[in-house]
């Protein structure tokens, strides 16, 4: 699946997008975040805040949302548009 | 019914006139234009805002917000335009226009769209001042504003 990062999440991870396959047992957004945190200090820093929001295939998704079948998962801070 | 996400400046008066043209039975037009303020949240003079966005999701999310507004109020038409990229103080950032037979629906729908957009459309503001650039923090007041639409 494709992972997208925006705003300070993007800055901390150090890239805007990547392709990744989560290991077996990672089935929800919350579990995916926990796995991402384990991938290195830049990920740990990017995902240290509980305020991070996620979207699955361009729709907002809660931490318990299932990621099976997702093509594109985005992570970003709380929105500040308007 | 339309939503647009763009970097270009827009002319709110022209957008509103174009939206109204061709419709009959319009009794009320409400427009809201959000502008870039001259000061950062810290109070320091602002040189510019840079709005980052997730463009594909932004268009879809704005369309969902507009559809929800149309489901709640009898709108004749509506338009949402949101800019991203670099925006200078005084420039418009966002336009919401609602058309309905009577004013109550147009006012309420425009306010609803703005309240939803602030907390759910994927845009992020970065302020540039003489001290450097920093991301704007989300405001609790925006969440509170959204809350009232779910009460009954």
């Amino acid at each position: 699946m494709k992972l997208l990062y925006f705003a300070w999440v993007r800055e901390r991870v150090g890239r805007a997008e990547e392709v990744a396959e989560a290991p077996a047992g990672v089935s929800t957004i919350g579990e995916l975040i926990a796995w991402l945190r384990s991938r290195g200090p830049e990920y740990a820093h990017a995902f240290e805040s509980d305020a991070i929001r996620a979207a699955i295939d361009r729709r907002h998704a809660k931490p318990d949302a299932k990621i099976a079948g997702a093509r594109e998962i985005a992570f970003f801070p709380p929105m500040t548009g308007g | 019914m339309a939503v647009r996400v763009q970097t270009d400046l827009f002319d709110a008066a022209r957008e509103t006139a174009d939206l109204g043209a061709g419709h009959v039975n319009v009794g009320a037009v409400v427009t809201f234009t959000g502008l870039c303020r001259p000061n950062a949240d810290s109070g320091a003079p602002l040189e510019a805002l840079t709005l980052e966005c997730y463009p594909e999701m932004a268009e879809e999310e704005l369309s969902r917000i507009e559809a929800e507004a149309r489901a709640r109020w009898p709108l004749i038409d509506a338009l949402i335009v949101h800019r991203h990229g670099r925006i200078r103080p005084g420039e418009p950032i966002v336009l919401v226009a609602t058309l309905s037979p009577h004013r109550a629906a147009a006012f309420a729908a425009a306010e609803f769209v703005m309240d939803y957009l602030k907390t759910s459309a994927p845009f992020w503001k970065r302020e540039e001042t003489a001290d450097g650039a920093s991301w704007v923090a989300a405001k609790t007041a925006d969440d509170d504003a959204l809350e009232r639409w779910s009460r009954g």
Side-chain angles (χ1 to χ4, degrees), chain B residues 21-45:
Chain B
H23 287 298
V24 293
N25 205 29
V26 175
V29 178
V30 167
T31 69
F32 171 82
T33 308
L35 305 180
C36 177
R37 281 183 292 267
N39 294 95
D41 282 352
S42 67

Side-chain angles (χ1 to χ4, degrees), chain B:
Chain B
M1 306 290 171
V3 304
R4 292 205 322 262
V5 174
Q6 63 185 47
T7 55
D8 291 345
L9 270 172
F10 59 79
D11 178 337
R14 184 187 303 164
E15 297 284 356
T16 307
D18 288 351
L19 184 68
H23 287 298
V24 293
N25 205 29
V26 175
V29 178
V30 167
T31 69
F32 171 82
T33 308
L35 305 180
C36 177
R37 281 183 292 267
N39 294 95
D41 282 352
S42 67
L46 187 74
E47 292 174 4
L49 275 181
T50 299
L51 269 94
E52 181 166 327
C53 106
Y54 179 2
E56 300 86 356
M57 181 177 168
E59 288 194 8
E60 291 184 16
E61 189 66 18
L62 292 177
S63 295
R64 286 190 280 269
I65 294 168
E66 187 194 55
E68 179 65 26
R70 286 163 53 196
R72 290 181 179 223
W73 293 280
L75 300 181
I76 293 166
D77 208 341
L79 172 67
I80 308 173
V81 182
H82 203 304
R83 292 178 65 205
H84 60 108
R86 199 158 190 270
I87 295 174
R88 309 278 302 191
E91 286 184 9
I93 301 171
V94 60
L95 170 70
V96 173
T98 52
L99 274 55
S100 65
H102 300 282
R103 74 182 184 281
F107 271 126
E111 203 163 14
F112 170 87
V113 166
M114 275 308 302
D115 286 348
Y116 253 83
L117 178 160
K118 293 286 284 186
T119 55
S120 79
F123 293 88
W124 302 274
K125 288 187 181 117
R126 190 173 170 83
E127 295 176 333
E128 295 171 35
T129 68
D131 293 332
S134 63
W135 294 100
V136 172
K139 294 175 179 66
T140 315
D142 290 334
D143 290 332
D144 295 345
L146 185 61
E147 188 65 24
R148 64 191 157 140
W149 299 105
S150 54
R151 286 189 211 125

